[in-house]
Amino acid sequence: MLAYRITTEGAAPHLCRIDISEPGPTQIGVEIKACGLNFADLLTQKGTYQDIPQTPFTMGMELSGIVTTTGDSVNNLKPGDRVAVFSGQGGLAEFGVFEADRAIRIPDAMSFEDAAALQIAYVTSHMALDYRARMQPGETLLVTGAAGGVGLTAVEIGKLMGATVIAHARGRDKLEVARAAGADHLIDDSEDLRTRVKELGGADVVYDAVGGPAFKAAFRACNPEARLLPIGFASGEVPQIPANHLLVKNLTVIGYYIGGYMKFRPDLVRRSLAQLIDWYSNGLLSPHVSHILPLTDVAEGMELLRSRKSTGKVVIRTGD
């Protein structure tokens, strides 16, 4: 089969042909149909992601496809089932073997592309806002990088949860994408973020995918008892948090990494994904996929993320 792999530490990923593996007792074999790309894939290539598999490995953290085989201990899935798999690795290939507890059935009406796009970004935002920040209806949510892969899902989910959503992004085109996803207020990257947020009444929850100056400005625009979620650092700058300033407004900065939950509370991830699939089935959310590319064009898809030329998700179609 064809797979996009990092074969040795520090080497660039490349397409190569490898043998198809057989599943172990608790695993399933999947004919992969689509795989979502994430900013974390870029960090993995650079060797700076916080959770890099041992080489050699196939890249691709979230996928969808059809179950082909099951291990002897798997009784909740069967060959022919359409599934989404929160894989962590192995998605950028034509076939893969994954732990069954990382998979969930998807409705027949859900496309494989949408299923691949629904996982990391949407589960990250849903668990962040619901389980970690405990956001309540009527609160004000500020989302930085609001047109990106995770930012856009935070806008959409925040609106579904009853928040007033402030979207911060670079350029009118990206802000219009955020508006279409449900944002109530738009702030361009060229504007003074702190001043504009304060004019809108301040933020109760901050979902920051950018870091750097954007986080600092958002931090200073918080209301008392606000919660801040540093989700990612697309700016390349990890913010240093002045702990003494937390005391003044009784602020809370919440550490959160979705990959960690797959290791010690996978049930929370499956529960979140089930809720998202239910919302999808009822027409309450719709993944924004800006680009769908073939497996042979993975490098082009990664460049779309690196150059921030995509909005929402970039999805690689790995099968027919």
Side-chain angles (χ1 to χ4, degrees), residues 245-315:
H245 291 186
L246 296 174
L247 310 182
V248 178
K249 294 183 180 178
N250 293 289
L251 304 180
T252 302
V253 179
I254 301 173
Y256 172 63
Y257 165 51
I258 186 65
Y261 283 101
M262 283 306 306
K263 296 178 179 178
F264 65 85
R265 287 296 304 273
D267 59 303
L268 291 176
V269 178
R270 290 195 300 273
R271 186 176 72 185
S272 176
L273 187 54
Q275 174 65 75
L276 293 165
I277 290 174
D278 181 70
W279 280 341
Y280 177 96
S281 298
N282 286 285
L284 296 177
L285 59 79
S286 177
H288 180 88
V289 178
S290 64
H291 296 80
I292 299 175
L293 301 171
L295 185 56
T296 51
D297 290 345
V298 175
E300 179 183 336
M302 296 290 187
E303 182 56 32
L304 287 168
L305 297 185
R306 186 180 293 107
S307 62
R308 301 191 197 181
K309 291 182 179 178
S310 62
T311 56
K313 292 293 289 188
V314 176
V315 171

Side-chain angles (χ1 to χ4, degrees), residues 125-143 153-166 203-207 225 227 229 254 279:
S125 293
H126 180 247
M127 285 187 62
L129 298 177
D130 180 54
Y131 180 72
R132 294 294 283 147
R134 309 291 186 186
M135 191 173 69
Q136 301 299 308
E139 291 192 307
T140 295
L141 167 67
L142 168 62
V143 181
T153 64
V155 170
E156 195 171 1
I157 291 170
K159 194 63 180 174
L160 273 175
M161 291 178 64
T164 296
V165 181
I166 304 172
D204 300 305
V205 177
V206 173
Y207 184 103
E225 295 191 325
R227 289 86 73 204
L229 294 146
I254 301 173
W279 280 341

Side-chain angles (χ1 to χ4, degrees), residues 132-217:
R132 294 294 283 147
R134 309 291 186 186
M135 191 173 69
Q136 301 299 308
E139 291 192 307
T140 295
L141 167 67
L142 168 62
V143 181
T144 68
V150 291
L152 198 60
T153 64
V155 170
E156 195 171 1
I157 291 170
K159 194 63 180 174
L160 273 175
M161 291 178 64
T164 296
V165 181
I166 304 172
H168 172 257
R170 181 178 298 174
R172 299 308 303 177
D173 289 346
K174 290 189 174 184
L175 287 171
E176 286 305 319
V177 171
R179 186 198 299 276
D184 298 284
H185 305 285
L186 308 176
I187 301 177
D188 191 89
D189 187 56
S190 62
E191 300 179 74
D192 186 312
L193 178 59
R194 178 196 180 195
T195 299
R196 290 281 287 113
V197 173
K198 295 290 283 184
E199 289 173 351
L200 293 169
D204 300 305
V205 177
V206 173
Y207 184 103
D208 175 48
V210 177
F215 180 89
K216 295 174 185 176

Side-chain angles (χ1 to χ4, degrees), residues 24-85:
T26 62
Q27 296 178 320
I28 56 173
V30 178
E31 179 185 357
I32 301 170
K33 297 295 187 179
C35 179
L37 299 187
N38 295 275
F39 191 78
D41 291 312
L42 300 180
L43 300 179
T44 297
Q45 289 187 24
K46 292 170 59 180
T48 57
Y49 193 53
Q50 60 260 40
D51 191 8
I52 298 177
Q54 183 176 355
T55 57
F57 68 94
T58 299
M59 296 187 65
M61 298 179 173
E62 55 184 342
L63 63 99
S64 61
I66 300 172
V67 176
T68 57
T69 53
T70 61
D72 294 339
S73 300
V74 177
N75 52 29
N76 62 325
L77 294 168
K78 64 184 185 304
D81 283 346
R82 304 171 81 250
V83 291
V85 185

